[in-house]
Amino acid sequence: MKIALITGITGQDGYYLSRFLLNENYIVHGIVRRSSNFNTQRIDNLISEYGPEKKLILHYADLTDSSSIHALVSKILPDEIYNLGAQSHVAVSFLNPGYTADVSISGTTALLESIKNSPKKIKFYQASSSEMFGGKENTLLDETSLLDPKSPYAAAKVFSHNLTKIYRDSYGIFGVNGILFNHESPLRGETFVTRKISRAVGRIKNNLQSKLTLGNIHAFRDWGFAGDYVKGMYMMMQHETPDDFVLSTGETHSVKEFSELAFAHVGLDWKEFVITDKRYERPNEVHHLLGNSEKAKKILKWEPETSFEKLVQIMVEADVKKAEQEKLLISEGLLSPTWEHPIGL
Ligand code: NAP
Ligand code: G4F
């Protein structure tokens, strides 16, 4: 059985990737950072199913603490490491630039150093991002496009991306960069725009919220489904040579279009509910992202399987169900009503 170590296992992609690898008969180890509340909600169902057989094993560690990373890698000696851990919110990275950089930069460095010093040949996946391109209108971005980061988050990702290449070229480490365009799901964090919209649609439909406040609704993103993208991560790691690959859908849509479609799915007109406020705008915006994943299609035979319309439908339907449950709990006095997130984003 192959052994994988996943950083960021408690995040959106962490769930989908763990589920995929466990289905492929891997033993999956995951890093969980200490939090004052339980932070494993996304993977709790996997823990119940695979935990007792020791196929899914969790460890406390933190990407900002290199000693914890070195100790874990040398103890587990995995075949593959997937580095998904990050402070992954672009707007937050302008508010917490030092921490954002620390998680990405120290974390990737500690992992690559552990691999370099390990007696075992360990493959490494780095979660690179389309944010690194900075965005360009009417341009299909691929592995050869210029990196022009526009946020502390993207700058930190560029460092990790380059370091992965440097360790590959200098030490012959099997290190791959997956340059992934935005990918979403019902498990997306609630402060990313797609989930903020689908959640609001569910809550507005259930009279738990009256308005949705957004920032720049004219931004365009190449949005795919997270479940499709983790398969691409795995395929990159199974390819005979390490390389960098873009994963994207090749379609771009605006935040406004996403909102229109999401509200229409439950028979509502988005214009009656969406308002905009400058407080949700960023000091520097990536206006337009559109990817070209021909290389992944040709070499890995990877292609996205979920359309934009289907993605919106999956997310809205999941959040309508969630809001119905929330409403029930509120009516029974078991949950306090909340409106939009108190600190926004
Ligand atoms: P996510 O849901 O925000 O998950 C991030 C994960 O990193 C969480 O498990 C989080 O733990 C963990 N983490 C944060 N700080 C940490 C620290 N100091 N030490 C250890 N773990 C830490 O992100 P995602 O959407 O799954 O994305 C996965 C990766 O792909 C990220 O690196 C992201 O930057 C990158 N990426 C994402 C997209 C996308 O569209 N989703 C596109 C391109 C690249 P908690 O659960 O405790 O917060
Ligand atoms: O959903 P977002 O916050 O995602 P963003 O900034 O594109 O970053 C995500 O994708 C990257 C890949 O390209 C990842 F690397 C990164 O980790 C993350 O997963 O914002 C999308 C767009 C932006 O242009 C933003 O300005 O939506 C716009 N937007 C408009 N109103 C909003 C809002 N974004 C958020 N979060 N909240 C709003 O109210």
Side-chain angles (χ1 to χ4, degrees), residues 4-10 13-14 17-19 21 28-32 80-85:
L5 171 62
I6 303 178
T7 75
I9 195 166
T10 57
D13 291 4
L17 180 65
S18 311
R19 191 181 70 172
L21 294 177
V28 174
H29 291 258
I31 285 179
V32 177
E80 297 171 5
I81 296 179
Y82 293 84
N83 185 26
L84 311 183

Side-chain angles (χ1 to χ4, degrees), residues 182-203:
N182 300 50
H183 45 280
E184 320 291 313
S185 74
L187 295 182
R188 185 60 142 150
E190 289 92 341
T191 58
F192 294 94
V193 78
T194 54
R195 186 72 203 290
K196 187 171 166 182
I197 296 167
S198 64
R199 184 169 178 268
V201 168
R203 288 166 58 80

